C-alpha cells in the first residue's frame, strides 16, 4: 500500500529542506514555505531547536501539508521526532533509524547513492529513496539507478537548482528535494521575502515541466 508521503511527493513533486542556525528563523521559513504552497517541508535535526521547530510549524500547518524531520540517524532520534509531531522521516544514508521509523508507521525517505544502498533501504522499510547527493551523477545517473527498480520512488536531493529540476523529473524522479537553492539563508535569519519568491519560482518550474 502506498503511504501518504509517497502519494504527496508524487502529487506535488517538491520537498523543501530547512537546515539553519536559528530556531525562530527555521520556524518562520517553514511557515512561509507552506503559505506559498510548498506542501512538504523537512526540518533537519542539525538545526538548533529542530524538535521545537517541527512542533511549531506543524501546529500552524495548513490542512493537507506534511512536516517531517531530516538527518534522523538513530532509533532514539525517531522517538524524539515522533514526539514532536513529525509526519515523516528523512535520512542521509542507510541507517538504523529506517527500520525503527517503519516500525512506528512513520514513512521514511532514506538516503542512498548506489543500487545496493537503494535496494537495502527499501528492504529495511523505506517508503522512497532519496538519491543523495544527486549532483554526483545528475539526471542520467538517476535514470540508470532507477531502471532496474521501477517500483522504487526516487527523490533527487543535493544540488537541485531550477535549471536541473526538469531533468530529474523527466528522468523519473517522483520529486526533488531542495535545500540551499530554495531556502537560502532564510532558516538562519535571512530574507523571508526572497524565500517566498524562490518558492514561487520552484512551483512554477514544476508546473512548466509539464508534470503538475
Amino acid at each position: 500500500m502506498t503511504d501518504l508521503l509517497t502519494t504527496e511527493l508524487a502529487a506535488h513533486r517538491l520537498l523543501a529542506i530547512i537546515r539553519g542556525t536559528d530556531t525562530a528563523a527555521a520556524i518562520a521559513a517553514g511557515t512561509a514555505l507552506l503559505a506559498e504552497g510548498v506542501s512538504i517541508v523537512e526540518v533537519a535535526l542539525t538545526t538548533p531547536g529542530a524538535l521545537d521547530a517541527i512542533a511549531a510549524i506543524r501546529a500552524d500547518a495548513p490542512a493537507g501539508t506534511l512536516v517531517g524531520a531530516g538527518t534522523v540517524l538513530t532509533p532514539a532520534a525517531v522517538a524524539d521526532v515522533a514526539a514532536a509531531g513529525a509526519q515523516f522521516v528523512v535520512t542521509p544514508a542507510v541507517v538504523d533509524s529506517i527500520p525503527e521509523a517503519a516500525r512506528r508507521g512513520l514513512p521514511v525517505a532514506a538516503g542512498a547513492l548506489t543500487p545496493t544502498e537503494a535496494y537495502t533501504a527499501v528492504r529495511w522499510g523505506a517508503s522512497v529513496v532519496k538519491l543523495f547527493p544527486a549532483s554526483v551523477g545528475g539526471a542520467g545517473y538517476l535514470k540508470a539507478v532507477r531502471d532496474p527498480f521501477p517500483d522504487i520512488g526516487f527523490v533527487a536531493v543535493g544540488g537541485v537548482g531550477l535549471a536541473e529540476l526538469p531533468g530529474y523529473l523527466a528522468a523519473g524522479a517522483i520529486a526533488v528535494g531542495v535545500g540551499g537553492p530554495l531556502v537560502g539563508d532564510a532558516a538562519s535569519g535571512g530574507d523571508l521575502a526572497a524565500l517566498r519568491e524562490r518558492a514561487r519560482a520552484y512551483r512554477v518550474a514544476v508546473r512548466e515541466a509539464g508534470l503538475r
Side-chain angles (χ1 to χ4, degrees), residues 1 3 5-6 89-91 93-95 97-103 106-112 117-130 151-153:
M1 181 181 295
D3 60 61
L5 176 62
T6 306
V89 163
V90 183
T91 79
V94 180
V95 290
S97 57
I98 297 169
E100 175 61 17
R103 185 186 70 80
L106 276 176
V108 185
E117 290 171 350
Y119 182 69
T120 301
V122 172
R123 286 195 64 192
W124 283 13
S127 303
V128 296
V129 168
K130 179 181 91 169
D151 295 329
I152 296 178

Side-chain angles (χ1 to χ4, degrees), residues 56-173:
I57 296 169
R58 176 81 194 278
D60 290 331
T65 59
L66 294 177
V67 180
T71 323
V72 180
L73 301 177
T74 65
V78 173
D80 290 340
V81 302
Q87 293 164 286
F88 63 92
V89 163
V90 183
T91 79
V94 180
V95 290
D96 292 343
S97 57
I98 297 169
E100 175 61 17
R103 185 186 70 80
R104 289 172 173 266
L106 276 176
V108 185
L113 182 61
T114 68
T116 299
E117 290 171 350
Y119 182 69
T120 301
V122 172
R123 286 195 64 192
W124 283 13
S127 303
V128 296
V129 168
K130 179 181 91 169
L131 189 71
F132 175 78
S135 57
V136 168
Y141 180 72
L142 182 146
K143 182 180 184 303
V145 174
R146 179 179 175 272
D147 281 348
F149 303 118
D151 295 329
I152 296 178
F154 283 90
V155 180
V157 179
V160 183
L162 286 170
E164 292 79 25
L165 182 151
Y168 284 114
L169 296 183

Side-chain angles (χ1 to χ4, degrees), residues 4 11 19 21 28 38 41 51-52 73 87 99 101 103 127 135 150 165 173 178 182 188 190 193-194 203 207:
L4 184 59
R19 188 185 302 275
T21 60
V38 178
V41 171
L51 297 175
D52 291 336
L73 301 177
Q87 293 164 286
R103 185 186 70 80
S127 303
S135 57
L165 182 151
V178 190
L182 169 57
S188 300
R203 293 195 68 214
R207 289 196 297 271

